[in-house]
Amino acid sequence: QMLAIAPNKETECRETIKKICDSFAVSPIARDILETASHLNGGAGNGGIELAKAHAKHATTDDPYFLQPMDGVDGTGYRASWWTQFYCILWRSWLSVLKDPMLVKVRLLQTAMVASLIGSIYFGQVLDQDGVMNINGSLFLFLTNMTFQNVFAVINVFSAELPVFLREKRSRLYRVDTYFLGKTIAELPLFIAVPFVFTSITYPMIGLKAGVSHYLTTLFIVTLVANVSTSFGYLISCASSSISMALSVGPP
């Protein structure tokens, strides 16, 4: 984007490009590249040029359709190890989470408002016949809220990222499992925070079974539901051809 020439801004863009190229030309990276290129060409002079010509002629006559093996590429075709791929995907996904803090605040605020609404409707239940029925209804809302909220949040975001993922996967930049694990772990704090906020508000307001162990059990189950729903959202996004298709297939 920085190196592109925009319509009606040709002069400004060319000046910007010149500044960038001039800055790069005197950078340590440019010097390293120049040294590496000189080394690979066999040094300055006709010897290196003749060697390069001979190599090119050999490549075109003997094996014109095959690229030579690249340094650092293992038998699987990836230039980076599994851990390197995982670390890079994790770091990139974490940056994308941090890049939009307003989205995190809105989701937490939305969760708190919905939890307060459900807690107000089912406030202070007692263990009689009506209370048991009401508690059953509140638990059903626990599950549906955690399910639909996370499924649709993932579908809207991941469907837009899918073309980039497919292009990078075909380029063999990384494996599918490293992408899935890195992205899931980067977003895990949010998918733990949302169930925590929801359960912490509704549990005491409704008057569910007292005790830290019972609260933690509920929180654990709600967190699992939220994360399974997230994975289900990934599944729907991958199986659908567009966001509208995913939003239509998701609810059933």
Side-chain angles (χ1 to χ4, degrees):
Q1 186 176 2
M2 293 297 297
L3 295 175
I5 297 178
N8 302 322
K9 296 182 179 179
E10 287 83 357
T11 305
E12 299 173 16
C13 291
R14 292 186 190 281
E15 290 177 359
T16 304
I17 293 171
K18 188 176 185 306
K19 290 179 182 177
I20 294 173
C21 293
D22 291 344
S23 300
F24 176 76
V26 296
S27 66
I29 299 176
R31 288 196 295 269
D32 292 342
I33 292 175
L34 188 60
E35 291 175 4
T36 304
S38 301
H39 175 70
L40 291 177
N41 284 334
N46 294 329
I49 298 174
E50 293 299 328
L51 181 64
K53 287 181 179 179
H55 186 292
K57 182 179 180 182
H58 172 75
T60 53
T61 53
D62 291 351
D63 48 355
Y65 303 113
F66 295 95
L67 294 173
Q68 298 300 315
M70 298 178 66
D71 293 334
V73 179
D74 57 13
T76 60
Y78 297 100
R79 303 193 71 175
S81 65
W82 192 95
W83 285 108
T84 304
Q85 296 174 31
F86 172 72
Y87 173 77
C88 292
I89 293 296
L90 178 63
W91 179 244
R92 187 176 74 173
S93 301
W94 179 244
L95 286 180
S96 67
V97 171
L98 297 179
K99 199 171 9 178
D100 199 357
M102 184 57 66
L103 180 62
V104 177
K105 294 176 183 177
V106 167
R107 286 201 61 188
L108 293 176
L109 180 62
Q110 174 194 0
T111 302
M113 291 175 63
V114 172
S116 301
L117 179 62
I118 294 175
S120 300
I121 294 172
Y122 293 98
F123 185 79
Q125 296 299 317
V126 293
L127 285 177
D128 54 15
Q129 185 63 37
D130 291 336
V132 170
M133 296 295 292
N134 290 336
I135 289 173
N136 280 338
S138 67
L139 295 180
F140 173 76
L141 288 177
F142 268 57
L143 299 178
T144 53
N145 184 69
M146 283 297 100
T147 300
F148 284 96
Q149 179 182 355
N150 290 289
V151 166
F152 288 116
V154 168
I155 285 177
N156 283 310
V157 174
F158 185 67
S159 294
E161 296 179 5
L162 195 56
V164 178
F165 163 71
L166 292 174
R167 185 176 69 241
E168 293 177 343
K169 174 65 178 68
R170 293 190 188 105
S171 301
R172 302 191 73 77
L173 293 181
Y174 47 74
R175 297 168 173 82
V176 177
D177 55 347
T178 55
Y179 178 83
F180 175 75
L181 290 174
K183 189 168 179 59
T184 302
I185 293 174
E187 296 175 348
L188 193 60
L190 180 61
F191 292 127
I192 291 178
V194 168
F196 174 76
V197 170
F198 183 84
T199 308
S200 299
I201 294 174
T202 52
Y203 198 93
M205 288 184 70
I206 296 172
L208 298 176
K209 193 169 184 178
V212 176
S213 61
H214 302 299
Y215 163 75
L216 292 178
T217 302
T218 305
L219 178 60
F220 178 68
I221 293 173
V222 172
T223 304
L224 285 181
V225 170
N227 283 275
V228 168
S229 303
T230 303
S231 297
F232 180 73
Y234 289 142
L235 173 65
I236 294 295
S237 299
C238 293
S240 304
S241 57
S242 63
I243 296 180
S244 58
M245 179 66 72
L247 292 174
S248 300
V249 173

